Amino acid sequence: MATTQEVDVVVIGGGSTGENAADYAHRGGLEVVLVESGLVGGECSYYACMPSKALLRPGQAVAAARRVDGAAQAVTGTLDPAAVLRRRTTFTHGWDDSSQVEWADGAGLELVRGAGRVAGERQVTITLPDGGERVLRARHGVVIATGSEPATPPVEGLGTTRHWTTRDATSAREVPGRLIVLGAGVAGSELSQAYARLGAQVVLLARSRVLGAFPEPVAELVGSGLADAGVDVRSGVSAVAVDRPDGPDGEVRVELDDGTTLAADELLVAAGRRPRTAGLGLTTLGVGDGEALEVDDSGRVLAVAGGWLYAAGDVTGRAPLTHQGKYAGRVVGDALAARAAGHLPGPAEPWSRYAATADHVAVPQVVFTDPQVAQVGLRADEARGRGRPVRVVHQDLGEIAGASLLADDYAGWAELVLDDERDVVLGATFVGQGVSELLHAATIAVVGEVPLARLWHAVPAYPTTSEVWLRLLETDRAR
């Protein structure tokens, strides 16, 4: 039998969230073991954020040039798919995690390759690559940072028919001639546009509409951008059956609920994700496989007594975005170190380094389609649902001088959700070329609860797209 080794903290999951939790706990003076069965660095580095944006960027650069008279005449060729894929692969380091392993070693973390599972209170059993086991007991805490995995919608034949997940799409070695994308959320919309600009014939299936979680003007502008890129957007339809009648390498056929059937070389299923909690031994603690781990703001799992089990990132279901996972990981690492030293005897105070308070009110998100979407904070309906009296102001971004310099006939839209009693910004949404660079100012305004009277004195430089802030404030003042 494997002997049990005692350490201060065990982190299961070596993606960006787990890396941050481990690093910050170690900075706080704790001995940390980081457990990972796959690539150290996780989904974002190798299969999500970085490679997907690398696939999108070349097409966006060409499209941006074509929107400026004088520059448009210089764009005479088409994208080189092989070159785009080569450049994409440089961002994943060829799916080699050596540099991340080197970082972990330099940060003072012990990395154990294997699959970790909770085997009792403060105890983790690791199945090693050679089939052996190693058992660790954590003096201060175990952190679950295993992320999420693709959800499979209930479509007949999908479970037995070879199809792409987002991992396959971002790591593909060639561009398919025809591609069907099931799911018009963030990943589906981004990858549809990337592959259309790389030369694939793409059909995007939206059960309701493109980017259904965002305001209607966002969906309209992004839908137009997808169509301009050559994506055939089918709204209000769902897949009911999938098969490859000629075998796993033959064409895929997708039957829709409107009675039509589509055929393609590949099918990408981008129908959302779910917490990766199955197989972690959590059922022994009363947590169901596949369920999100509900945590307090310091990351402690509420269903487990004793305060020793923590979780951060997608696995909690709170704010499934890489940057929010890193944020939660930093909070967890700091909270573990503080509690180990006796500096955090009770619940963490909101907005302290030990509480992920932003998860509730200021989660920033960018959709890297063309046009981009940038959103932070509460939507109007969310704010009203929380009993907040709100007012909303809008602005056509095409009327902003800085935007008109970026592109001829610039198409964009902006919205601020304002607290009608406290006169602070609760949320902001922007859609248009390059709007991701507007987002952090909005995030600071929401987190800082900056009064509108003070925002009047944050003068935007002219001529930049940031002048939209002045126009939005003027519209609100004119009411």
Side-chain angles (χ1 to χ4, degrees):
M1 294 181 61
T3 58
T4 301
Q5 173 191 354
E6 278 206 344
V7 297
D8 288 332
V9 176
V10 180
V11 179
I12 303 176
S16 56
T17 296
E19 287 177 324
N20 274 271
D23 185 31
Y24 274 65
H26 180 70
R27 293 187 194 192
L30 301 181
E31 176 192 10
V32 182
V33 173
L34 182 64
V35 182
E36 175 56 52
S37 60
L39 294 173
V40 178
E43 201 77 9
C44 181
S45 297
Y46 303 103
Y47 298 106
C49 316
M50 295 305 291
S52 67
K53 280 48 178 180
L55 290 173
L56 283 160
R57 177 57 187 154
Q60 292 174 351
V62 171
R66 286 177 173 156
R67 294 188 188 113
V68 180
D69 193 21
Q73 289 80 349
V75 182
T76 57
T78 59
L79 291 180
D80 180 339
V84 173
L85 295 178
R86 282 198 304 272
R87 182 175 185 267
R88 176 277 320 269
T89 301
T90 66
F91 286 97
T92 68
H93 300 282
W95 293 277
D96 181 331
D97 64 357
S98 300
S99 62
Q100 295 278 18
V101 172
E102 184 179 345
W103 169 84
D105 183 61
L109 309 176
E110 180 184 353
L111 172 65
V112 177
R113 298 278 195 178
R117 66 184 186 278
V118 176
E121 183 173 343
R122 301 177 188 271
Q123 186 165 302
V124 173
T125 298
I126 306 166
T127 301
L128 304 172
D130 63 4
E133 288 190 342
R134 182 174 174 183
V135 180
L136 302 176
R137 178 172 175 78
R139 300 184 189 93
H140 299 295
V142 174
V143 182
I144 307 295
T146 48
S148 60
E149 59 192 6
T152 303
V155 176
E156 181 184 341
L158 187 58
T160 56
T161 301
R162 185 184 66 78
H163 60 273
W164 274 6
T165 65
T166 52
R167 272 193 167 208
D168 299 302
T170 57
S171 61
R173 302 296 181 177
E174 59 183 21
V175 177
R178 300 169 299 166
L179 175 66
I180 298 170
V181 180
L182 177 58
V186 175
S189 297
E190 288 182 350
L191 290 167
S192 291
Q193 192 169 58
Y195 273 97
R197 284 179 165 169
L198 286 169
Q201 296 178 20
V202 180
V203 178
L204 175 62
L205 304 178
R207 187 171 57 183
S208 56
R209 61 174 173 83
V210 170
L211 297 179
F214 291 85
E216 184 66 35
V218 171
E220 291 177 359
L221 285 165
V222 172
S224 295
L226 293 173
D228 289 345
V231 178
D232 179 1
V233 180
R234 308 281 183 94
S235 298
V237 295
S238 298
V240 295
V242 172
D243 72 343
R244 287 185 186 265
D246 298 325
D249 296 323
E251 73 174 13
V252 60
R253 295 179 185 175
V254 180
E255 182 183 340
L256 306 181
D257 59 2
D258 63 3
T260 61
T261 299
L262 302 174
D265 302 298
E266 297 292 351
L267 167 67
L268 165 59
V269 177
R273 300 180 69 83
R274 63 185 179 193
R276 186 181 281 122
T277 51
L280 296 178
L282 300 176
T283 53
T284 62
L285 304 175
V287 179
D289 275 351
E291 294 180 1
L293 297 174
E294 187 179 359
V295 297
D296 67 13
D297 281 352
S298 70
R300 290 188 296 190
V301 177
L302 297 177
V304 177
W308 60 271
L309 186 64
Y310 289 73
D314 287 13
V315 75
T316 68
R318 268 190 163 208
L321 297 160
T322 297
H323 44 274
Q324 292 299 123
K326 291 180 177 181
Y327 164 67
R330 295 190 291 268
V331 166
V332 164
D334 276 343
L336 266 166
R339 289 190 171 115
H343 301 323
L344 186 60
E349 288 294 320
W351 298 118
S352 72
R353 64 188 293 179
Y354 312 119
T357 314
D359 285 355
H360 306 295
V361 295
V363 175
Q365 180 177 12
V366 176
V367 185
F368 287 87
T369 47
D370 182 15
Q372 292 179 342
V373 183
Q375 198 274 332
V376 66
L378 302 179
R379 300 189 305 270
D381 58 336
E382 291 176 321
R384 292 185 181 110
R386 297 186 186 188
R388 303 276 187 90
V390 300
R391 62 188 190 274
V392 180
V393 290
H394 303 122
Q395 174 65 45
D396 181 346
L397 266 172
E399 296 176 356
I400 304 302
S404 68
L405 289 171
L406 281 180
D408 300 335
D409 301 317
Y410 186 104
W413 177 83
E415 175 184 83
L416 287 185
V417 178
L418 306 174
D419 188 308
D420 211 17
E421 290 182 345
R422 296 187 299 136
D423 260 5
V424 297
V425 179
L426 296 177
T429 302
F430 307 97
V431 56
Q433 180 179 319
V435 295
S436 59
E437 299 306 328
L438 294 173
L439 186 57
H440 198 55
T443 303
I444 292 170
V446 174
V447 169
E449 298 181 324
V450 182
L452 298 187
R454 181 60 62 88
L455 276 179
W456 269 100
H457 299 281
V459 182
Y462 182 85
T464 68
T465 312
S466 291
E467 198 179 11
V468 67
W469 281 93
L470 173 59
R471 302 303 171 216
L472 286 162
L473 294 175
E474 286 179 332
T475 300
D476 181 57
R477 177 177 278 191
R479 291 182 168 186

